[in-house]
């Protein structure tokens, strides 16, 4: 499964405007479980947090998040298949520190990546103003076989200072080749 999003940057002329920057806060992987807990992280005030979650059993239902310090809103999840890739967003007006609990409806392998983005649009609710577009593609081709490559298409944006972010779901033993 491939997914891409276009993030809106702060409009030029706004205090703090500049290039969108990303900091990986935590990643993890667990096998055959229904609940996983990330490492404790601090997410800065007015910074967009995105957590990508891959489930090994894509037919088992969408994972949910629990975090006493933040509200997480699902951006999208791909259709059921061999793997499920789900993206959540969060933005708070104050710094928060804590761990995120990921719960899957079924016991499965899970991987996650939590990234914080600076200089994104802070309008909207819970980071909604920062996400301009989202597109995804299941990694199985039309015949149902696994695809070794793929792409997603995002529309162009006339606003400067934007960034594109991508997420990929793959098998734990799969290789990744740059290019």
């Amino acid at each position: 499964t491939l997914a891409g999003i276009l993030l809106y940057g702060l409009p030029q002329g706004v205090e703090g405007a500049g290039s969108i920057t990303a900091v990986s806060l935590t990643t993890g992987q667990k096998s055959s479980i229904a609940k996983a807990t990330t490492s404790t992280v601090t997410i800065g005030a007015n910074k967009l947090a995105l957590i990508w979650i891959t489930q090994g059993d894509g037919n088992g239902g969408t994972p949910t998040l629990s975090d006493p310090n933040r509200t997480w809103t699902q951006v999208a999840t791909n259709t059921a298949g061999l793997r499920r890739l789900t993206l959540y967003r969060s933005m708070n007006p104050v710094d928060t520190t804590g761990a995120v609990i990921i719960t899957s409806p079924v016991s499965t392998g899970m991987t996650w990546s939590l990234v914080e983005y600076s200089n994104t649009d802070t309008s909207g609710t819970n980071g909604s103003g920062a996400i301009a577009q989202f597109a995804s593609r299941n990694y199985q081709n039309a015949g149902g076989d696994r695809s070794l490559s793929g792409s997603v298409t995002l529309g162009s944006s006339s606003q400067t200072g934007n960034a594109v972010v991508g997420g990929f779901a793959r098998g734990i033993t799969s290789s990744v080749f740059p290019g």
Side-chain angles (χ1 to χ4, degrees), residues 89-132:
R89 65 173 158 65
S90 182
M91 185 181 286
N92 268 8
V94 297
D95 291 356
T96 61
T97 300
V100 179
I101 298 171
I102 306 164
T103 303
S104 173
V106 297
S107 185
T108 184
M110 285 190 278
T111 59
W112 62 88
S113 175
L114 175 55
V115 180
E116 173 188 84
Y117 297 88
S118 300
N119 300 321
T120 63
D121 188 320
T122 58
S123 68
T125 303
N126 202 32
S128 63
I131 298 179

Side-chain angles (χ1 to χ4, degrees), residues 62-73:
T62 304
T64 57
L65 301 183
S66 174
D67 181 344
N69 302 306
R70 303 184 78 82
T71 299
W72 291 91
T73 302

Side-chain angles (χ1 to χ4, degrees), residues 1-135:
T1 300
L2 308 171
I5 60 174
L6 174 64
L7 299 179
Y8 277 143
L10 289 170
Q12 297 302 313
V14 172
E15 184 177 340
S19 296
I20 293 174
T21 58
V23 175
S24 176
L25 298 179
T26 185
T27 61
Q29 174 179 308
K30 299 285 183 180
S31 298
S32 300
I33 59 166
K35 189 177 283 190
T37 303
T38 70
S39 300
T40 298
V41 296
T42 298
I43 302 171
N46 293 317
K47 304 237 175 127
L48 177 68
L50 296 178
I51 186 166
W52 300 85
I53 303 159
T54 302
Q55 295 163 276
D57 180 354
N59 294 311
T62 304
T64 57
L65 301 183
S66 174
D67 181 344
N69 302 306
R70 303 184 78 82
T71 299
W72 291 91
T73 302
Q74 182 180 315
V75 175
T77 190
N78 68 303
T79 56
L82 294 176
R83 309 251 184 284
R84 179 181 295 272
L85 179 63
T86 304
L87 174 64
Y88 283 88
R89 65 173 158 65
S90 182
M91 185 181 286
N92 268 8
V94 297
D95 291 356
T96 61
T97 300
V100 179
I101 298 171
I102 306 164
T103 303
S104 173
V106 297
S107 185
T108 184
M110 285 190 278
T111 59
W112 62 88
S113 175
L114 175 55
V115 180
E116 173 188 84
Y117 297 88
S118 300
N119 300 321
T120 63
D121 188 320
T122 58
S123 68
T125 303
N126 202 32
S128 63
I131 298 179
Q133 298 176 46
F134 178 87

